[in-house]
Amino acid sequence: MKFKRGLVKRKMAKIIDGKTISLDIKNEVKQIAENLVEKGVKPCLAVILVGQNPASQVYVRNKKTACEYCGIKSLSYELDESISEKELLDLIDKLNENKECNGILVQLPLPKHIDENKVLLRISPEKDVDGFHPYNVGLLSIGKAELKACTPAGCIELIKRSGVDISGKNCVVVGRSNIVGKPVSMLLLAENGTVTICHSKTKDIKAVCKEADILVAAVGIPNFIKGDMVKEGVVVIDVGINRLENGKLCGDVDFEEVEKKASYITPVPGGVGPMTIAMLMKNCIVACKNQNNI
Ligand code: NDP
């Protein structure tokens, strides 16, 4: 290819397309679900929504649509905001007992009068398709998890399905939340990455990020990772979903700057976002197979 004098060939990262990869995963799930139905088992997910949080309503609707696509039955419980903690716990007990139901998902956040932790602990670990129960978190930390937290597991799929080998790589995770930073760090470690976790008290975060072969950003601050914080060839997974004042979505990574140096990068939207539901569907299948000894 010829370039005009004065023009420099710009290096561009390969964009990791979360929409396509998540669709591949949902199609794989659909195939397995069909095989299970042939064996007389219909995978089934119970989705519980308390109150009328508009964002939660959208998430729940998307989860039900994904179930339909994948051939997973969904049981829907849309409960009034005023429901008591006891009533919610009783419903979870009933679903724990219900042999037809393989997975239980309680959409967060819950109203303030309900103790989220108590609710998540009540879900039977084998039906914990969000992977938030301490039992499953413990399994994750010893490298034996079957039901892995969905967004972190989605990050690993994005990396692996892009053909990037994690083994031996310097992996830097920015963020240490229980739902993203910590579990994604454990999963990278399980893939033999050399993992460093950064957080708000980390000194010289730029120096740490510059060492990364693989960088996962889960900070919740728009455009936090700048071009001068990464090295050439880095693989960047941007978990952040931030709504800007103009209504647009943006990640934790300054895409325009970082894309010029990265070898692979996820966009926002269309990167990690669609993976969460795909991995939830995968977890439903894992739970269903385990419960039926298949
Ligand atoms: P949290 O707010 O729970 O955690 C943010 C983490 O970032 C904390 O560990 C915090 O450190 C760290 N942090 C904050 N400020 C800084 C700083 N200045 N320097 C270094 N570290 C800092 O967020 P989540 O993990 O829940 O989510 C992170 C992002 O991912 C959000 O944008 C969220 O919307 C998105 N997300 C996307 C999902 C998806 O499906 N794609 C799913 C879940 C989340 P400390 O612990 O010290 O406070």
Side-chain angles (χ1 to χ4, degrees):
M1 198 191 295
K2 278 194 176 167
F3 282 85
K4 281 186 188 160
R5 196 172 147 74
L7 282 184
V8 181
K9 184 177 180 225
R10 195 161 77 89
K11 273 205 249 165
M12 300 246 275
K14 290 198 179 105
I15 308 295
I16 302 179
D17 180 357
K19 278 193 204 154
T20 303
I21 295 177
S22 64
L23 184 60
D24 288 347
I25 292 171
K26 282 191 283 183
N27 285 333
E28 288 161 21
V29 167
K30 189 176 176 182
Q31 184 62 59
I32 302 170
E34 279 169 16
N35 296 344
L36 286 170
V37 169
E38 276 169 22
K39 293 190 171 108
V41 178
K42 176 89 176 168
C44 170
L45 170 70
V47 181
I48 303 174
L49 172 66
V50 182
Q52 310 230 312
N53 178 324
S56 294
Q57 284 173 328
V58 173
Y59 292 141
V60 161
R61 202 181 320 129
N62 290 345
K63 285 167 189 174
K64 286 191 218 157
T65 307
C67 280
E68 227 167 89
Y69 181 85
C70 294
I72 294 172
K73 180 175 176 180
S74 65
L75 304 172
S76 178
Y77 298 88
E78 298 193 359
L79 310 173
D80 197 83
E81 179 98 23
S82 65
I83 190 172
S84 70
E85 185 180 279
K86 182 177 179 313
E87 283 171 299
L88 179 57
L89 292 174
D90 286 348
L91 171 61
I92 292 172
D93 287 342
K94 252 177 47 196
L95 291 168
N96 281 337
E97 293 300 315
N98 181 349
K99 293 252 180 310
E100 184 200 9
C101 159
N102 308 117
I104 303 170
L105 183 139
V106 179
Q107 185 64 47
L108 302 178
L110 290 169
K112 286 204 167 53
H113 66 278
I114 300 179
D115 181 345
E116 260 177 32
N117 205 32
K118 215 170 178 180
V119 170
L120 296 181
L121 273 171
R122 193 69 155 247
I123 298 170
S124 164
E126 63 267 24
K127 297 194 178 185
D128 167 40
V129 283
D130 259 336
F132 290 160
H133 193 289
Y135 179 83
N136 288 318
V137 175
L139 286 180
L140 193 77
S141 76
I142 59 169
K144 298 211 181 302
E146 292 196 81
L147 297 175
K148 299 169 188 163
C150 300
T151 304
C155 294
I156 303 296
E157 287 291 331
L158 289 175
I159 299 170
K160 287 171 101 172
R161 288 178 188 238
S162 301
V164 174
D165 186 12
I166 299 169
S167 182
K169 299 279 166 59
N170 281 342
C171 304
V172 174
V173 178
V174 189
R176 58 170 166 181
S177 73
N178 290 334
I179 61 165
V180 188
K182 278 184 206 153
V184 83
S185 304
M186 286 299 165
L187 291 172
L188 289 164
L189 188 60
E191 297 290 337
N192 298 319
T194 302
V195 183
T196 307
I197 308 173
C198 299
H199 47 77
S200 65
K201 305 289 184 290
T202 299
K203 285 185 188 147
D204 202 352
I205 207 160
K206 182 173 163 182
V208 181
C209 289
K210 274 208 132 184
E211 291 298 312
D213 302 313
I214 298 173
L215 180 71
V216 180
V219 200
I221 301 176
N223 300 323
F224 181 81
I225 305 289
K226 298 287 179 194
D228 65 355
M229 293 173 73
V230 299
K231 72 175 178 190
E232 288 286 338
V234 63
V235 174
V236 179
I237 305 295
D238 187 354
V239 185
I241 302 179
N242 308 293
R243 179 80 59 189
L244 298 176
E245 273 176 15
N246 62 12
K248 281 193 172 170
L249 282 185
C250 116
D252 291 347
V253 176
D254 188 324
F255 185 88
E256 288 214 343
E257 287 187 12
V258 174
E259 181 233 10
K260 290 174 191 149
K261 290 172 95 177
S263 55
Y264 293 86
I265 188 167
T266 60
V268 177
V272 176
M275 295 299 289
T276 303
I277 290 185
M279 300 313 289
L280 173 70
M281 297 298 108
K282 198 170 175 187
N283 274 349
C284 290
I285 294 292
V286 170
C288 176
K289 284 171 109 178
N290 284 348
Q291 286 157 38
N292 289 282
N293 297 317
I294 295 174

